[in-house]
Amino acid sequence: MILNRLILGNSTPASDNVVIIAVPYTSTGPVYYSTNFGYSWSIKTPYGSTGTLLGAYVQNNIVLIGRTSTSMVKVELSTDLLVNLSQIPPTARAYPNGLGISNNGLVLIAINGSTGGYYNVSTNGGANWIEAPLFTNAWGVAMVSDGSTIYVTSNSYAYLKKSINSGVSWSDTGNIFSGAYGYGIAMSSDGQHIYVGAYNKGHYISKSSDYGANFAESLMDTATVGTYYNRVFCSSSGQYVLVTTNAHQRVYVSNDYGVTWTRVLSSITSLHNCFSNAVSNSGKYMVVAHYSGAGEFYYSDDYGVTWTTKTISGLSSNIYSIAVNEI
């Protein structure tokens, strides 16, 4: 049930049907969402009554939201674009920031960064789930369009976990970083292009253009050292890539499969903690949430060329996680 609708009169809807989901860093919600790229907003009370809201991911009409609680962590699922929410049967653990949904909606996964690095996965659209340990501090997740191949990063390891059977079993890749660990990860829908943001190594990513057979480190900017949490998102084709860092407050866009990078939003000051980002399937729509401005986020509707600040009226807390996609 929609509890409220907030109208912003200083913008106009985009021509496409686009959904944005903004998750504030609060213990009770609500979740804010828009189906016309921020022209108007609705709010939805989470299924759970306790727990700080964390990650969010949307694909078609399916939404996953991570939520901590005073006892154990939960993940909430909606298959009708937040009209209804339910709690997935397994009990997740720690911090469910890594969330993924296959294009066909059958494979759903929640990665939980903790000791043991548990994950929850469903291969039948959320009807049944399995839970198992993966590796410590598991954090980022990316999958191909049908969910058959999945990669997971950990901010404690330089290699990735890989599954080729929708998360039923996993193997280790070789190290893809030298002197760093993996953090954010994004992948094209066919699995050809893979981008992994470095943790603890400046403005680096590691990328593969041959379905993960080979990875090479790539420097986006000048910082070669430093503790950065580099989060990555890309379009379904892999052509358009967005990277944010939580240190130096940097935002980078590539429109050529990560060959070259342009720094955008260079006016962001050190007061803004760029923590969450997202790119729509086409790459046309990009969003960046910052963790130092109540209800504010940055958005682009031209493949990351130009950006505008948008504020969700009535939201007094910061946006911790943000998601965007065509619907």
Side-chain angles (χ1 to χ4, degrees):
M1 179 177 65
I2 295 176
L3 301 179
N4 192 19
R5 180 168 287 274
L6 306 171
I7 304 298
L8 306 181
N10 59 351
S11 58
T12 57
S15 58
D16 301 324
N17 293 321
V18 177
V19 61
I20 302 174
I21 299 173
V23 175
Y25 191 68
T26 63
S27 60
T28 57
V31 175
Y32 289 75
Y33 66 102
S34 171
T35 55
N36 51 22
F37 209 65
Y39 177 71
S40 59
W41 293 87
S42 300
I43 61 178
K44 178 70 177 180
T45 299
Y47 176 87
S49 59
T50 62
T52 300
L53 300 172
L54 292 175
Y57 193 89
V58 59
Q59 185 72 263
N60 300 317
N61 289 324
I62 303 176
V63 180
L64 286 175
I65 296 173
R67 176 176 61 83
T68 67
S69 70
T70 55
S71 56
M72 299 292 278
V73 173
K74 310 295 181 183
V75 176
E76 299 185 10
L77 166 67
S78 174
T79 58
D80 50 18
L81 204 59
L82 290 175
V83 174
N84 297 285
L85 276 168
S86 61
Q87 193 167 274
I88 70 172
T91 302
R93 304 160 191 244
Y95 306 103
N97 281 304
L99 304 166
I101 306 169
S102 63
N103 288 3
N104 58 18
L106 293 179
V107 181
L108 314 174
I109 190 168
I111 301 298
N112 306 285
S114 66
T115 301
Y118 279 75
Y119 74 101
N120 301 118
V121 67
S122 172
T123 59
N124 54 9
N128 303 101
W129 294 80
I130 62 171
E131 179 190 43
L134 192 54
F135 61 162
T136 299
N137 292 328
W139 200 257
V141 60
M143 66 175 70
V144 297
S145 60
D146 65 358
S148 57
T149 298
I150 307 174
Y151 286 93
V152 174
T153 67
S154 165
N155 58 16
S156 293
Y157 298 97
Y159 60 86
L160 308 176
K161 288 287 187 177
K162 179 182 180 180
S163 174
I164 57 173
N165 54 11
S166 301
V168 175
S169 60
W170 300 83
S171 61
D172 297 342
T173 68
N175 286 353
I176 66 169
F177 285 109
S178 173
Y181 311 118
Y183 194 70
I185 184 171
M187 181 165 56
S188 60
S189 61
D190 62 359
Q192 179 178 355
H193 302 280
I194 307 169
Y195 308 93
V196 184
Y199 166 67
N200 200 34
K201 193 176 183 179
H203 300 146
Y204 274 97
I205 66 166
S206 185
K207 64 178 182 177
S208 173
S209 298
D210 55 8
Y211 301 91
N214 298 281
F215 281 87
E217 293 183 61
S218 174
L219 181 64
M220 296 177 294
D221 208 333
T222 57
T224 58
V225 296
T227 303
Y228 300 94
Y229 298 83
N230 296 331
R231 296 173 67 101
V232 190
F233 225 110
C234 74
S235 62
S236 291
S237 66
Q239 178 179 354
Y240 302 98
V241 193
L242 174 67
V243 178
T244 58
T245 74
N246 75 316
H248 282 186
Q249 322 312 324
R250 301 295 179 96
V251 182
Y252 303 98
V253 171
S254 174
N255 63 6
D256 57 6
Y257 300 92
V259 176
T260 60
W261 296 91
T262 300
R263 184 185 173 191
V264 299
L265 295 171
S266 57
S267 63
I268 297 176
T269 70
S270 60
L271 296 177
H272 297 83
N273 188 346
C274 299
F275 190 77
S276 180
N277 60 12
V279 178
S280 68
N281 283 342
S282 70
K284 181 178 180 180
Y285 299 99
M286 299 184 180
V287 288
V288 173
H290 63 79
Y291 193 50
S292 187
E296 290 185 3
F297 65 94
Y298 305 102
Y299 79 95
S300 172
D301 60 5
D302 57 5
Y303 301 91
V305 177
T306 58
W307 293 80
T308 303
T309 303
K310 188 174 288 295
T311 302
I312 302 175
S313 177
L315 177 55
S316 59
S317 59
N318 304 322
I319 298 173
Y320 188 87
S321 184
I322 196 163
V324 66
N325 222 333
E326 290 95 357
I327 54 174

